[in-house]
Amino acid sequence: MLFRLLRHHLRPYRGLVAAVLVLQLVAAIAALLLPSLNADIIDDGVAQGNTALIWRLGAVMLGVSAVQALTQIAATWAAARVAMGVGRDVRAGVFDRVLSFSSRELGQFGAPTLITRSTNDVQQVQQVTFMALVMLVAAPITGVGGVIMAIRQDVGLSPLIAVGVTVLLLVMGLIIWRMVPLFRAQQKQLDAVNRVLREQISGVRVVRAFTREREETQRFRKTNTELTRIGLSVGDLMALMFPTVMLVMNLSSVGVIWFGAQRVQAGVMDVGALTAYISYLMQILMSIMMATMVATMLPRAAVSAGRIQEVLGTRTTVVAPKVPATPGQPSDGRPGTVELEGVGFTYPGAEAAVLKDIAFTARPGTTTAIVGGTGSGKTTLLRLIPRLADVSRGSVRVDGVDVRDLAPEDLWTRVGLVPQRPYLFSGTVASNLRFGNPDATDEQLWGALRIAQAQDFVAAYDDGLEHPIAQGGTNVSGGQRQRLCIARALVAQPDIYLFDDSFSALDLATDARLRAALAPTTRDATMIVVAQRISTIVDADQIVVLEAGRIIGLGTHRELLQTNQTYAEIVRSQEHGGGEAA
């Protein structure tokens, strides 16, 4: 999985990767030449008293060292550019894919794991790319080349290399084998920590309101302790690795010096050759250590690459048509007719359908209200119109064309949605309002704020439209956040307005003023309103009453009061209970 991911994302950087390979090759060859040159200086220069040879070979060694240093620096720079570019591209790919997900895929993964996969998992792949380019290329060249050069110096000491390399490979292989399941568990536990932390930050007011600080602290401590335990297990193996490498290297050096000294004493080996042999042994074992360092990162990077590929390989169920249809021209010249015919919807894995056989038509210039008890499917129904999810049965049509046959961008520009949970992005008032229309002028923004009954509190800010908004709009009240979201939809001037219980956070007086201001602006648009307050939708042209995902009533307020018991009960409950539907 890791190699498939890298093969795809390394294609734009083939030139830099080739440069890294060439530079690493030159640096490795330079490193292999230095011990031989040093041996020649000792045996042919120092031992023979040949000062000219010492100066000449010393100058060559300086030149070779300079070449090695420069090529290594250049290779590291190029490798860093490649790794950072790969990380950027993978992150962008994950982000773009997540943006294309429908609510079904978002629910399937969940926000905490998507955050981890686009940050920590991408970082693991990025790091292993850098380390592989810096070390994994040079390691085999240095290792194989070191063996060849060491044997050239003295064949008799070759068994020491075979023993040292074999022991090191066996120990490193065992450690890596133990690390693989730990890395997999570590990434999953990181998801769990992110999930708990995200819940606690988002629900901090609820936690404090119910004095659950101690319990939530304990829940986080338990999750965090498990992540710590796994991390310590990984750390124990890592701590075992480097002393083992050093032990093998030092024992091998002792062996070479011990047996090499005997061969020097016997006259079958020169002192310079022994020095070079020790250097080559160190290069061989260091190359194995470098390869091992990368190898220890590969399992975790492979797990991360699999998690990234899972996101990249998930196709949204809301697929754009290959040949988008063009909505027909309405006979009255007013676009925005919404028709639902035999609509049914079932959430993945659910046994029963949430919506069943929904059918009604909402026309331009009219207001359609949707009411019903909690869990009756009101919000789900509204989400089907902008195609945030696809129907399981039946069809949703806009101006006579099934929304599944429209280009998503074309559909979304026709629809202005104010969600049940109003959300503002970090930035300013103006930047949030211009989500609906990036080219909107300040005058248009103030006009939308005036209609949404938000002009007064925005004008009270010293910086007005440039007043900063915190992530989620947490620095404004719930009612202000709601009105800014309504203004955002108004700036877009869509053909269809969808209000998902968007007036519940407003007091009755503000609600009434807002609806009165909306009327002339949305005169030619189609308005579909999910509401709990009957006062909000009493003047609607038609009211859809939902119960258990079915339409049990359709008509005006006056008609339903006389013919629909469920609707009459909702009205009576609000008359006696203070304005909120059950």
Side-chain angles (χ1 to χ4, degrees), residues 281-573:
L281 179 63
M282 291 299 101
Q283 286 186 356
I284 294 166
L285 296 179
M286 285 296 293
S287 66
I288 294 174
M289 188 178 71
M290 289 192 299
T292 302
M293 289 177 61
V294 178
T296 56
M297 299 176 68
L298 284 174
R300 188 174 185 182
V303 171
S304 295
R307 288 156 54 88
I308 293 169
Q309 281 291 95
E310 190 178 357
V311 176
L312 295 176
T314 299
R315 300 292 177 182
T316 178
T317 52
V318 178
V319 182
K322 294 182 178 179
V323 182
T326 302
Q329 183 64 33
S331 56
D332 59 359
R334 295 193 298 179
T337 299
V338 178
E339 302 169 89
L340 286 82
E341 183 176 336
V343 167
F345 182 80
T346 305
Y347 282 104
E351 295 181 0
V354 178
L355 298 173
K356 307 161 192 172
D357 198 28
I358 303 295
F360 66 86
T361 300
R363 302 187 184 282
T366 66
T367 298
T368 299
I370 303 173
V371 297
T374 302
S376 58
K378 305 184 296 295
T379 295
T380 301
L381 173 58
L382 210 65
R383 287 163 59 188
L384 298 178
I385 297 171
R387 208 187 170 199
L388 299 180
D390 274 340
V391 296
S392 304
R393 289 171 297 281
S395 64
V396 177
R397 295 191 295 272
V398 172
D399 290 332
V401 179
D402 194 308
V403 293
R404 290 169 291 190
D405 297 328
L406 290 170
E409 295 78 8
D410 187 25
L411 174 63
W412 295 333
T413 55
R414 292 168 169 265
V415 176
L417 173 65
V418 182
Q420 187 176 27
R421 294 181 179 179
Y423 190 89
L424 298 175
F425 295 87
S426 57
T428 64
V429 172
S431 67
N432 273 278
L433 297 185
R434 288 194 172 100
F435 262 73
N437 179 8
D439 300 322
T441 63
D442 286 356
E443 289 74 15
Q444 290 174 305
L445 300 186
W446 282 114
L449 290 170
R450 184 169 55 255
I451 296 170
Q453 307 304 300
Q455 181 182 16
D456 291 344
F457 75 81
V458 173
Y461 297 138
D462 293 337
D463 37 11
L465 291 173
E466 297 306 314
H467 183 73
I469 296 293
Q471 180 184 359
T474 54
N475 61 334
V476 295
S477 70
Q480 291 172 337
R481 189 160 56 244
Q482 191 74 271
R483 282 176 279 171
L484 289 175
C485 288
I486 293 171
R488 181 171 60 194
L490 291 170
V491 170
Q493 298 181 335
D495 300 327
I496 303 165
Y497 287 91
L498 304 177
F499 294 96
D500 187 2
D501 195 18
S502 304
F503 306 101
S504 60
L506 309 179
D507 60 81
L508 293 174
T510 304
D511 184 4
R513 289 197 302 271
L514 193 154
R515 286 186 286 110
L518 271 176
T521 304
T522 61
R523 182 183 296 112
D524 295 329
T526 302
M527 287 188 62
I528 302 178
V529 181
V530 169
Q532 293 189 33
R533 288 179 183 160
I534 296 301
S535 60
T536 301
I537 48 94
V538 67
D539 296 324
D541 297 282
Q542 63 175 349
I543 300 172
V544 178
V545 184
L546 289 181
E547 186 175 284
R550 294 184 182 274
I551 293 180
I552 60 169
L554 181 63
T556 63
H557 171 74
R558 190 179 300 276
E559 292 170 348
L560 290 173
L561 273 179
Q562 299 174 357
T563 61
N564 191 276
Q565 183 178 354
T566 300
Y567 184 77
E569 289 177 355
I570 294 174
V571 174
R572 282 196 298 271
S573 70

Side-chain angles (χ1 to χ4, degrees), residues 251-266:
L251 288 176
S252 300
S253 298
V254 169
V256 169
I257 294 172
W258 179 270
F259 293 104
Q262 295 179 13
R263 295 179 66 80
V264 170
Q265 187 177 13

